[in-house]
Amino acid sequence: MHIYQYLSSMATTQPLRISSTAAARRGVGFIMTQAQERPVILTSHGKPVAVVMSAAERDEQRQLLRDVELKVLDMAANLVADRSAMLTADQARERLLAGER
């Protein structure tokens, strides 16, 4: 899935916010069922403390992060290559020797 498609799908799926007390009352089965459909944010005193999501969504997020990391590295490498001048071995040796003097 392309990053824009993934982010678009995330924008349409609202996570379920539930207090840890209410989650404990409802049970693990309820949380697991809900997490298959959308992320579940567990809160304590109104503040998020944990997120439960399906294994498939976690794997999808990890793959997306890997893809983005590789794209950023590729872009950085291309930027460096575009701004760098290639030197022959002799030119590099001359520059190194000139720096020693």
Coordinates of all heavy atoms in Angstrom, one line a residue:
M1 N 0.8 -1.2 0.0 CA 0.0 0.0 0.0 C 0.9 1.2 0.0 O 1.9 1.3 0.7 CB -0.9 0.0 1.2 CG -1.8 1.2 1.4 SD -2.8 1.2 2.8 CE -4.0 0.0 2.4
H2 N 0.5 2.2 -0.8 CA 1.3 3.4 -0.9 C 1.0 4.3 0.3 O 0.0 4.2 1.0 CB 0.8 4.2 -2.2 CG 1.7 5.3 -2.5 ND1 1.5 6.6 -2.0 CD2 2.8 5.4 -3.3 CE1 2.4 7.4 -2.5 NE2 3.2 6.7 -3.3
I3 N 2.0 5.1 0.7 CA 1.9 5.9 2.0 C 0.6 6.8 2.0 O -0.1 6.9 3.0 CB 3.1 6.7 2.2 CG1 3.0 7.5 3.6 CG2 3.3 7.7 1.1 CD1 4.3 8.1 4.0
Y4 N 0.3 7.4 0.9 CA -0.9 8.2 0.8 C -2.2 7.4 1.0 O -3.1 7.9 1.7 CB -0.9 9.0 -0.5 CG 0.3 9.9 -0.6 CD1 1.2 9.7 -1.6 CD2 0.5 11.0 0.3 CE1 2.3 10.5 -1.7 CE2 1.6 11.8 0.2 CZ 2.5 11.5 -0.8 OH 3.6 12.3 -0.9
Q5 N -2.2 6.3 0.4 CA -3.4 5.4 0.6 C -3.5 5.0 2.1 O -4.6 5.0 2.6 CB -3.3 4.1 -0.3 CG -3.4 4.4 -1.7 CD -3.1 3.2 -2.6 OE1 -2.2 2.4 -2.2 NE2 -3.7 3.0 -3.7
Y6 N -2.4 4.6 2.7 CA -2.4 4.2 4.1 C -2.9 5.4 5.0 O -3.8 5.2 5.8 CB -1.1 3.7 4.5 CG -1.1 3.3 5.9 CD1 -1.6 2.0 6.3 CD2 -0.5 4.1 7.0 CE1 -1.6 1.6 7.6 CE2 -0.6 3.7 8.3 CZ -1.1 2.4 8.6 OH -1.1 2.1 9.9
L7 N -2.3 6.5 4.8 CA -2.7 7.7 5.6 C -4.1 8.1 5.4 O -4.8 8.4 6.4 CB -1.8 8.9 5.4 CG -0.3 8.7 5.8 CD1 0.5 9.9 5.4 CD2 -0.2 8.5 7.3
S8 N -4.6 7.9 4.2 CA -6.0 8.2 3.9 C -6.9 7.3 4.6 O -8.0 7.6 5.2 CB -6.3 8.2 2.4 OG -7.6 8.3 2.1
S9 N -6.6 6.0 4.6 CA -7.4 5.0 5.3 C -7.4 5.2 6.8 O -8.4 5.0 7.5 CB -6.9 3.6 5.0 OG -5.7 3.3 5.6
M10 N -6.2 5.7 7.3 CA -6.1 5.9 8.8 C -7.0 7.1 9.2 O -7.6 7.2 10.2 CB -4.7 6.2 9.2 CG -3.8 5.0 9.1 SD -4.3 3.7 10.3 CE -4.0 4.6 11.8
A11 N -7.1 8.1 8.3 CA -7.9 9.3 8.6 C -9.4 9.0 8.7 O -10.2 9.6 9.4 CB -7.7 10.4 7.5
T12 N -9.9 7.9 7.9 CA -11.3 7.6 7.9 C -11.7 6.7 9.1 O -12.8 6.6 9.4 CB -11.7 7.0 6.6 OG1 -11.0 5.8 6.4 CG2 -11.5 7.9 5.5
T13 N -10.7 6.0 9.7 CA -11.0 5.1 10.8 C -10.6 5.8 12.1 O -9.4 6.0 12.4 CB -10.1 3.8 10.6 OG1 -10.4 3.3 9.4 CG2 -10.4 2.8 11.7
Q14 N -11.6 6.1 12.9 CA -11.4 6.8 14.2 C -11.1 5.7 15.2 O -11.8 4.7 15.3 CB -12.6 7.6 14.6 CG -12.9 8.8 13.7 CD -11.8 9.8 13.8 OE1 -11.3 10.1 14.9 NE2 -11.4 10.3 12.7
P15 N -10.0 5.9 16.0 CA -9.7 5.0 17.1 C -10.8 5.0 18.2 O -11.5 6.0 18.3 CB -8.4 5.4 17.6 CG -8.2 6.8 17.1 CD -9.1 7.0 15.9
L16 N -10.9 3.9 18.8 CA -11.8 3.8 20.0 C -11.0 4.3 21.2 O -9.9 3.7 21.5 CB -12.3 2.4 20.2 CG -13.0 2.1 21.5 CD1 -14.3 2.9 21.5 CD2 -13.3 0.7 21.6
R17 N -11.5 5.3 21.9 CA -10.8 5.7 23.2 C -11.6 5.1 24.3 O -12.8 5.3 24.4 CB -10.8 7.2 23.3 CG -9.8 7.9 22.3 CD -9.9 9.4 22.5 NE -9.3 9.8 23.7 CZ -8.0 10.2 23.9 NH1 -7.2 10.2 22.9 NH2 -7.6 10.6 25.1
I18 N -11.0 4.4 25.2 CA -11.7 3.8 26.3 C -10.7 3.9 27.6 O -9.5 3.7 27.5 CB -12.1 2.4 26.0 CG1 -12.9 1.8 27.1 CG2 -10.9 1.5 25.7 CD1 -13.6 0.5 26.7
S19 N -11.3 4.1 28.7 CA -10.5 4.2 29.9 C -10.0 2.7 30.3 O -10.7 1.8 29.9 CB -11.3 4.7 31.1 OG -12.3 3.8 31.5
S20 N -8.9 2.7 30.9 CA -8.4 1.4 31.3 C -9.4 0.6 32.2 O -9.5 -0.6 32.2 CB -7.0 1.5 31.9 OG -7.0 2.4 33.1
T21 N -10.1 1.4 33.1 CA -11.1 0.8 34.0 C -12.2 0.1 33.2 O -12.6 -1.0 33.4 CB -11.6 1.8 35.0 OG1 -10.5 2.4 35.7 CG2 -12.6 1.2 35.9
A22 N -12.7 0.9 32.2 CA -13.8 0.4 31.4 C -13.3 -0.8 30.5 O -14.1 -1.8 30.4 CB -14.4 1.5 30.5
A23 N -12.1 -0.7 30.1 CA -11.5 -1.8 29.3 C -11.4 -3.1 30.1 O -11.7 -4.2 29.7 CB -10.2 -1.4 28.7
A24 N -11.0 -2.9 31.4 CA -10.8 -4.1 32.3 C -12.2 -4.7 32.5 O -12.3 -5.9 32.6 CB -10.2 -3.7 33.6
R25 N -13.2 -3.9 32.7 CA -14.6 -4.4 32.9 C -15.1 -5.2 31.7 O -15.8 -6.2 31.9 CB -15.6 -3.3 33.2 CG -15.6 -2.9 34.7 CD -16.8 -2.0 35.0 NE -16.2 -0.8 35.6 CZ -16.3 0.4 35.2 NH1 -17.0 0.7 34.1 NH2 -15.7 1.4 35.8
R26 N -14.8 -4.7 30.5 CA -15.3 -5.3 29.3 C -14.5 -6.6 29.0 O -15.1 -7.4 28.3 CB -15.2 -4.3 28.1 CG -16.1 -3.1 28.3 CD -17.1 -3.1 27.3 NE -18.0 -2.0 27.3 CZ -18.5 -1.4 26.3 NH1 -18.2 -1.9 25.1 NH2 -19.3 -0.4 26.4
G27 N -13.3 -6.6 29.3 CA -12.5 -7.8 29.1 C -11.6 -7.7 27.9 O -11.8 -6.9 27.0
V28 N -10.6 -8.7 27.9 CA -9.6 -8.7 26.8 C -10.3 -9.1 25.5 O -9.9 -8.5 24.4 CB -8.6 -9.8 27.1 CG1 -7.6 -10.0 25.9 CG2 -7.8 -9.4 28.4
G29 N -11.3 -9.9 25.5 CA -12.0 -10.3 24.2 C -12.6 -9.1 23.5 O -12.5 -9.0 22.3
F30 N -13.2 -8.2 24.3 CA -13.8 -7.0 23.7 C -12.7 -6.1 23.1 O -12.9 -5.6 22.0 CB -14.5 -6.2 24.8 CG -15.0 -4.8 24.4 CD1 -16.1 -4.7 23.6 CD2 -14.2 -3.7 24.7 CE1 -16.5 -3.4 23.1 CE2 -14.6 -2.4 24.3 CZ -15.8 -2.3 23.5
I31 N -11.6 -5.9 23.8 CA -10.5 -5.1 23.3 C -9.9 -5.7 22.0 O -9.7 -5.0 21.0 CB -9.4 -4.9 24.3 CG1 -9.9 -4.2 25.6 CG2 -8.2 -4.1 23.8 CD1 -10.6 -2.9 25.3
M32 N -9.8 -7.0 22.0 CA -9.2 -7.7 20.8 C -10.2 -7.6 19.6 O -9.7 -7.3 18.5 CB -9.0 -9.2 21.1 CG -7.8 -9.5 22.0 SD -7.6 -11.2 22.5 CE -7.8 -12.1 21.0
T33 N -11.5 -7.7 19.9 CA -12.4 -7.6 18.8 C -12.4 -6.2 18.2 O -12.4 -6.0 17.0 CB -13.9 -7.9 19.3 OG1 -13.9 -9.3 19.8 CG2 -14.9 -7.8 18.2
Q34 N -12.4 -5.2 19.1 CA -12.4 -3.8 18.6 C -11.1 -3.5 17.9 O -11.1 -2.8 16.9 CB -12.5 -2.8 19.8 CG -13.9 -2.9 20.5 CD -15.0 -2.5 19.5 OE1 -14.9 -1.5 18.8 NE2 -16.0 -3.3 19.4
A35 N -10.0 -4.0 18.4 CA -8.7 -3.7 17.8 C -8.5 -4.3 16.3 O -7.7 -3.9 15.6 CB -7.5 -4.3 18.6
Q36 N -9.3 -5.3 16.0 CA -9.3 -5.9 14.7 C -9.9 -4.9 13.7 O -9.6 -4.9 12.5 CB -10.1 -7.2 14.6 CG -9.5 -8.3 15.4 CD -8.1 -8.6 15.0 OE1 -7.8 -8.8 13.8 NE2 -7.2 -8.6 15.9
E37 N -10.8 -4.0 14.2 CA -11.5 -3.0 13.3 C -10.8 -1.7 13.3 O -10.9 -1.0 12.3 CB -12.9 -2.9 13.8 CG -13.7 -4.1 13.7 CD -15.1 -4.0 14.4 OE1 -15.5 -2.8 14.7 OE2 -15.7 -5.0 14.7
R38 N -10.2 -1.3 14.4 CA -9.6 0.0 14.6 C -8.7 0.0 15.8 O -8.9 -0.8 16.7 CB -10.7 1.1 14.7 CG -11.6 0.8 15.9 CD -12.8 1.7 15.9 NE -13.7 1.3 17.0 CZ -14.8 1.9 17.3 NH1 -15.1 2.9 16.6 NH2 -15.6 1.4 18.2
P39 N -7.8 0.9 15.8 CA -6.9 1.0 17.0 C -7.7 1.4 18.3 O -8.7 2.1 18.2 CB -5.9 2.1 16.7 CG -6.0 2.3 15.2 CD -7.3 1.9 14.8
V40 N -7.3 0.8 19.4 CA -8.0 1.1 20.7 C -7.0 1.8 21.5 O -5.9 1.3 21.8 CB -8.4 -0.2 21.4 CG1 -9.0 0.1 22.7 CG2 -9.4 -1.0 20.5
I41 N -7.4 3.0 22.0 CA -6.5 3.8 22.8 C -7.0 3.7 24.3 O -8.1 4.1 24.6 CB -6.5 5.3 22.4 CG1 -6.0 5.5 21.0 CG2 -5.7 6.2 23.4 CD1 -6.2 6.9 20.4
L42 N -6.1 3.1 25.1 CA -6.5 3.0 26.5 C -6.0 4.3 27.2 O -4.9 4.7 27.0 CB -5.8 1.8 27.1 CG -6.2 0.4 26.5 CD1 -5.3 -0.7 27.1 CD2 -7.6 0.1 26.6
T43 N -6.9 4.8 28.1 CA -6.6 6.0 28.8 C -6.6 5.8 30.3 O -7.3 4.9 30.8 CB -7.6 7.1 28.4 OG1 -8.9 6.8 28.8 CG2 -7.6 7.4 26.9
S44 N -5.9 6.7 31.0 CA -6.0 6.8 32.4 C -6.1 8.3 32.8 O -5.2 9.1 32.4 CB -4.7 6.2 33.0 OG -4.7 6.3 34.4
H45 N -7.2 8.6 33.5 CA -7.5 10.0 33.8 C -7.5 10.8 32.6 O -7.0 12.0 32.5 CB -6.4 10.5 34.8 CG -6.4 9.7 36.1 ND1 -7.4 9.7 37.0 CD2 -5.4 8.8 36.5 CE1 -7.0 8.9 38.0 NE2 -5.8 8.3 37.7
G46 N -8.1 10.3 31.5 CA -8.2 11.0 30.2 C -7.0 11.1 29.3 O -7.1 11.6 28.2
K47 N -5.9 10.6 29.8 CA -4.6 10.7 29.0 C -4.3 9.3 28.4 O -4.4 8.3 29.1 CB -3.5 11.1 29.9 CG -3.6 12.5 30.4 CD -2.5 12.9 31.3 CE -2.7 14.3 31.9 NZ -1.6 14.7 32.7
P48 N -3.9 9.3 27.1 CA -3.6 8.0 26.5 C -2.4 7.4 27.2 O -1.4 8.1 27.5 CB -3.2 8.4 25.0 CG -3.7 9.8 24.9 CD -3.8 10.5 26.2
V49 N -2.5 6.1 27.4 CA -1.4 5.4 28.0 C -0.9 4.2 27.2 O 0.2 3.7 27.4 CB -1.7 4.9 29.5 CG1 -1.8 6.1 30.4 CG2 -2.9 4.0 29.5
A50 N -1.8 3.7 26.3 CA -1.4 2.5 25.5 C -2.3 2.5 24.3 O -3.4 3.0 24.3 CB -1.6 1.2 26.3
V51 N -1.8 1.8 23.2 CA -2.6 1.6 22.0 C -2.6 0.1 21.7 O -1.5 -0.5 21.7 CB -2.1 2.4 20.8 CG1 -2.8 2.1 19.6 CG2 -2.1 3.9 21.1
V52 N -3.8 -0.4 21.4 CA -3.9 -1.8 21.0 C -4.4 -1.8 19.6 O -5.3 -1.1 19.2 CB -4.9 -2.6 21.9 CG1 -5.0 -4.1 21.5 CG2 -4.5 -2.5 23.4
M53 N -3.6 -2.5 18.7 CA -4.0 -2.6 17.3 C -3.8 -4.0 16.8 O -3.2 -4.8 17.5 CB -3.2 -1.6 16.5 CG -1.7 -2.0 16.4 SD -0.8 -0.9 15.3 CE -0.9 0.6 16.2
S54 N -4.4 -4.3 15.7 CA -4.3 -5.7 15.1 C -2.9 -5.9 14.7 O -2.1 -5.0 14.4 CB -5.3 -5.8 13.9 OG -4.8 -5.1 12.9
A55 N -2.5 -7.2 14.7 CA -1.2 -7.6 14.2 C -1.0 -7.2 12.7 O 0.1 -6.7 12.4 CB -1.0 -9.1 14.4
A56 N -2.1 -7.3 12.0 CA -2.0 -6.9 10.5 C -1.7 -5.4 10.4 O -0.8 -5.0 9.6 CB -3.3 -7.3 9.8
E57 N -2.3 -4.6 11.2 CA -2.1 -3.1 11.1 C -0.7 -2.8 11.6 O 0.0 -2.0 11.0 CB -3.1 -2.4 11.9 CG -2.9 -0.9 11.7 CD -4.0 0.0 12.2 OE1 -5.1 -0.6 12.5 OE2 -3.8 1.2 12.4
R58 N -0.2 -3.5 12.6 CA 1.2 -3.3 13.1 C 2.2 -3.6 12.0 O 3.1 -2.9 11.8 CB 1.4 -4.1 14.3 CG 2.8 -4.0 14.9 CD 3.0 -4.9 16.1 NE 4.4 -4.9 16.4 CZ 5.3 -5.7 15.9 NH1 5.0 -6.6 15.0 NH2 6.6 -5.7 16.3
D59 N 2.0 -4.8 11.4 CA 2.9 -5.2 10.3 C 2.8 -4.2 9.2 O 3.9 -3.9 8.6 CB 2.5 -6.6 9.8 CG 2.8 -7.7 10.8 OD1 3.5 -7.4 11.8 OD2 2.2 -8.8 10.6
E60 N 1.6 -3.7 8.8 CA 1.5 -2.7 7.7 C 2.3 -1.4 8.1 O 3.0 -0.8 7.3 CB 0.0 -2.4 7.5 CG -0.2 -1.7 6.2 CD -1.7 -1.6 5.9 OE1 -2.5 -2.5 6.4 OE2 -2.1 -0.7 5.2
Q61 N 2.1 -1.0 9.3 CA 2.8 0.2 9.8 C 4.3 0.1 9.8 O 5.1 0.9 9.3 CB 2.4 0.7 11.2 CG 1.0 1.3 11.2 CD 0.6 1.8 12.6 OE1 1.4 1.7 13.6 NE2 -0.5 2.3 12.7
R62 N 4.8 -1.1 10.2 CA 6.2 -1.4 10.2 C 6.8 -1.4 8.7 O 7.8 -0.8 8.5 CB 6.6 -2.7 10.9 CG 6.4 -2.6 12.4 CD 6.7 -3.9 13.0 NE 8.2 -4.2 12.7 CZ 9.0 -4.8 13.5 NH1 8.6 -5.1 14.7 NH2 10.2 -5.0 13.2
Q63 N 6.0 -2.0 7.8 CA 6.5 -2.0 6.4 C 6.5 -0.6 5.8 O 7.4 -0.2 5.1 CB 5.6 -2.9 5.6 CG 6.0 -3.1 4.1 CD 7.4 -3.7 4.0 OE1 7.7 -4.7 4.7 NE2 8.3 -3.1 3.3
L64 N 5.5 0.2 6.1 CA 5.4 1.5 5.7 C 6.6 2.3 6.2 O 7.2 3.1 5.4 CB 4.1 2.2 6.1 CG 3.9 3.7 5.8 CD1 3.8 3.8 4.2 CD2 2.7 4.2 6.4
L65 N 6.9 2.2 7.5 CA 8.1 2.9 8.0 C 9.4 2.5 7.3 O 10.2 3.3 7.0 CB 8.2 2.6 9.5 CG 7.3 3.4 10.4 CD1 7.4 3.0 11.8 CD2 7.5 4.9 10.3
R66 N 9.5 1.2 7.0 CA 10.7 0.7 6.3 C 10.8 1.3 4.9 O 11.8 1.8 4.5 CB 10.7 -0.8 6.2 CG 11.1 -1.5 7.4 CD 11.3 -3.0 7.1 NE 11.2 -3.7 8.4 CZ 10.2 -4.6 8.7 NH1 9.2 -4.8 7.9 NH2 10.3 -5.2 9.9
D67 N 9.6 1.4 4.2 CA 9.6 1.9 2.9 C 9.9 3.4 2.9 O 10.7 3.9 2.1 CB 8.2 1.8 2.3 CG 7.8 0.3 2.0 OD1 8.8 -0.5 2.0 OD2 6.6 0.0 1.7
V68 N 9.4 4.1 3.9 CA 9.7 5.6 4.0 C 11.2 5.8 4.3 O 11.8 6.7 3.8 CB 8.8 6.2 5.1 CG1 9.2 7.7 5.4 CG2 7.3 6.3 4.6
E69 N 11.7 5.0 5.3 CA 13.1 5.1 5.6 C 14.0 4.9 4.4 O 15.0 5.7 4.1 CB 13.5 4.1 6.6 CG 13.0 4.3 8.0 CD 13.2 3.2 9.0 OE1 13.6 2.1 8.5 OE2 13.0 3.4 10.2
L70 N 13.7 3.9 3.6 CA 14.5 3.6 2.4 C 14.4 4.8 1.4 O 15.4 5.2 0.7 CB 14.1 2.3 1.7 CG 14.4 1.0 2.5 CD1 13.9 -0.2 1.8 CD2 16.0 0.9 2.6
K71 N 13.2 5.3 1.2 CA 13.0 6.4 0.3 C 13.8 7.7 0.8 O 14.4 8.3 -0.1 CB 11.5 6.8 0.2 CG 11.2 7.8 -0.8 CD 11.4 7.4 -2.2 CE 11.0 8.4 -3.2 NZ 11.3 8.0 -4.5
V72 N 13.8 7.9 2.1 CA 14.5 9.1 2.6 C 16.0 8.9 2.4 O 16.7 9.8 2.0 CB 14.2 9.3 4.1 CG1 15.2 10.3 4.7 CG2 12.8 9.8 4.2
L73 N 16.5 7.7 2.7 CA 17.9 7.4 2.4 C 18.3 7.5 1.0 O 19.4 8.0 0.6 CB 18.3 6.0 3.0 CG 18.3 5.8 4.5 CD1 18.5 4.4 4.8 CD2 19.4 6.7 5.1
D74 N 17.4 7.0 0.1 CA 17.7 7.1 -1.3 C 17.7 8.6 -1.8 O 18.6 9.0 -2.5 CB 16.6 6.4 -2.1 CG 16.9 6.3 -3.6 OD1 18.0 5.9 -4.0 OD2 16.0 6.7 -4.4
M75 N 16.8 9.4 -1.3 CA 16.8 10.8 -1.6 C 18.0 11.5 -1.1 O 18.6 12.4 -1.8 CB 15.5 11.5 -1.1 CG 14.2 11.0 -1.8 SD 12.7 11.5 -1.0 CE 12.9 13.3 -1.1
A76 N 18.4 11.2 0.1 CA 19.6 11.8 0.7 C 20.9 11.4 -0.1 O 21.7 12.2 -0.4 CB 19.8 11.4 2.1
A77 N 21.0 10.1 -0.5 CA 22.1 9.7 -1.3 C 22.2 10.4 -2.6 O 23.2 10.8 -3.1 CB 22.0 8.2 -1.5
N78 N 21.0 10.5 -3.3 CA 21.0 11.2 -4.5 C 21.3 12.7 -4.4 O 22.0 13.3 -5.2 CB 19.6 11.2 -5.2 CG 19.3 9.8 -5.7 OD1 20.2 9.0 -6.0 ND2 18.0 9.4 -5.8
L79 N 20.9 13.3 -3.3 CA 21.3 14.7 -3.1 C 22.8 14.9 -2.9 O 23.4 15.8 -3.5 CB 20.5 15.2 -1.8 CG 20.8 16.7 -1.5 CD1 20.3 17.6 -2.6 CD2 20.0 17.0 -0.2
V80 N 23.4 14.0 -2.1 CA 24.8 14.0 -1.9 C 25.6 13.8 -3.2 O 26.5 14.5 -3.6 CB 25.3 13.0 -0.8 CG1 26.8 12.8 -0.8 CG2 24.7 13.4 0.5
A81 N 25.1 12.8 -4.0 CA 25.7 12.5 -5.3 C 25.6 13.7 -6.2 O 26.6 13.9 -7.0 CB 25.1 11.2 -5.9
D82 N 24.5 14.4 -6.2 CA 24.3 15.5 -7.1 C 25.3 16.7 -6.8 O 25.7 17.4 -7.6 CB 22.9 16.0 -7.1 CG 21.9 15.0 -7.8 OD1 22.4 14.1 -8.5 OD2 20.7 15.2 -7.6
R83 N 25.6 16.8 -5.5 CA 26.4 17.9 -5.0 C 27.9 17.6 -4.9 O 28.7 18.4 -4.5 CB 25.9 18.4 -3.7 CG 24.5 19.0 -3.8 CD 24.0 19.6 -2.5 NE 22.7 20.2 -2.6 CZ 22.1 20.8 -1.7 NH1 22.6 20.9 -0.5 NH2 20.9 21.3 -1.9
S84 N 28.2 16.3 -5.1 CA 29.6 15.9 -4.9 C 30.3 15.8 -6.3 O 29.7 15.5 -7.3 CB 29.7 14.5 -4.3 OG 29.1 14.6 -3.0
A85 N 31.6 16.2 -6.2 CA 32.4 16.0 -7.4 C 33.2 14.7 -7.3 O 33.8 14.4 -6.2 CB 33.4 17.2 -7.5
M86 N 33.2 14.0 -8.3 CA 34.0 12.7 -8.3 C 35.5 13.1 -8.6 O 35.8 13.9 -9.4 CB 33.5 11.8 -9.4 CG 32.0 11.3 -9.2 SD 31.8 10.4 -7.7 CE 32.6 8.9 -8.1
L87 N 36.3 12.4 -7.8 CA 37.8 12.6 -8.0 C 38.4 11.3 -8.5 O 38.0 10.2 -8.1 CB 38.4 13.0 -6.7 CG 37.9 14.3 -6.0 CD1 38.6 14.5 -4.7 CD2 38.2 15.5 -6.9
T88 N 39.5 11.5 -9.2 CA 40.2 10.3 -9.6 C 41.1 9.9 -8.3 O 41.2 10.7 -7.4 CB 41.2 10.5 -10.8 OG1 42.1 11.5 -10.4 CG2 40.4 11.0 -12.0
A89 N 41.7 8.8 -8.3 CA 42.5 8.4 -7.2 C 43.7 9.3 -7.1 O 44.1 9.7 -6.0 CB 43.0 6.9 -7.4
D90 N 44.3 9.8 -8.2 CA 45.4 10.7 -8.2 C 45.0 12.0 -7.6 O 45.7 12.6 -6.8 CB 46.0 10.9 -9.6 CG 46.7 9.7 -10.1 OD1 47.2 8.9 -9.2 OD2 46.8 9.5 -11.3
Q91 N 43.8 12.5 -8.0 CA 43.3 13.8 -7.5 C 43.1 13.7 -5.9 O 43.5 14.6 -5.2 CB 42.0 14.2 -8.2 CG 42.2 14.6 -9.6 CD 40.8 14.8 -10.3 OE1 39.9 14.1 -10.0 NE2 40.8 15.7 -11.3
A92 N 42.5 12.6 -5.5 CA 42.3 12.4 -4.1 C 43.6 12.4 -3.3 O 43.7 13.0 -2.3 CB 41.5 11.2 -3.8
R93 N 44.6 11.7 -3.9 CA 45.9 11.6 -3.3 C 46.6 13.0 -3.2 O 47.1 13.3 -2.1 CB 46.8 10.6 -4.1 CG 48.1 10.3 -3.5 CD 48.9 9.3 -4.3 NE 50.3 9.6 -4.4 CZ 50.9 10.5 -5.2 NH1 50.2 11.1 -6.1 NH2 52.2 10.7 -5.1
E94 N 46.5 13.8 -4.2 CA 47.0 15.1 -4.2 C 46.4 16.0 -3.2 O 47.1 16.7 -2.4 CB 46.9 15.8 -5.6 CG 47.8 15.2 -6.7 CD 47.5 15.8 -8.1 OE1 46.8 16.9 -8.1 OE2 47.8 15.2 -9.0
R95 N 45.1 15.9 -3.0 CA 44.4 16.7 -2.0 C 44.8 16.2 -0.6 O 45.0 17.1 0.3 CB 42.9 16.6 -2.2 CG 42.3 17.4 -3.3 CD 40.8 17.5 -3.3 NE 40.3 18.2 -4.4 CZ 39.1 18.6 -4.5 NH1 38.2 18.2 -3.6 NH2 38.7 19.3 -5.5
L96 N 44.9 15.0 -0.4 CA 45.3 14.5 0.9 C 46.7 14.9 1.2 O 47.0 15.4 2.4 CB 45.2 12.9 1.0 CG 43.8 12.4 1.0 CD1 43.9 10.8 0.9 CD2 43.2 12.7 2.3
L97 N 47.6 14.9 0.3 CA 49.0 15.3 0.5 C 49.1 16.8 0.7 O 49.9 17.2 1.5 CB 49.9 14.8 -0.7 CG 50.1 13.3 -0.8 CD1 50.9 13.0 -2.0 CD2 50.8 12.7 0.4
A98 N 48.3 17.5 0.0 CA 48.3 19.0 0.2 C 47.8 19.4 1.6 O 48.3 20.3 2.1 CB 47.4 19.6 -0.9
G99 N 46.9 18.6 2.1 CA 46.4 18.8 3.5 C 47.4 18.6 4.6 O 47.4 19.1 5.6
E100 N 48.4 17.7 4.3 CA 49.4 17.4 5.3 C 50.5 18.5 5.4 O 51.1 18.6 6.4 CB 50.1 16.0 4.9 CG 49.2 14.8 5.0 CD 49.9 13.6 4.6 OE1 51.1 13.6 4.2 OE2 49.3 12.5 4.6
R101 N 50.6 19.3 4.4 CA 51.7 20.3 4.4 C 51.3 21.4 5.3 O 50.4 21.8 5.6 CB 52.0 20.7 3.0 CG 52.6 19.6 2.2 CD 52.8 20.1 0.7 NE 53.0 18.9 -0.1 CZ 52.8 18.9 -1.3 NH1 52.3 19.9 -2.0 NH2 53.0 17.8 -2.0

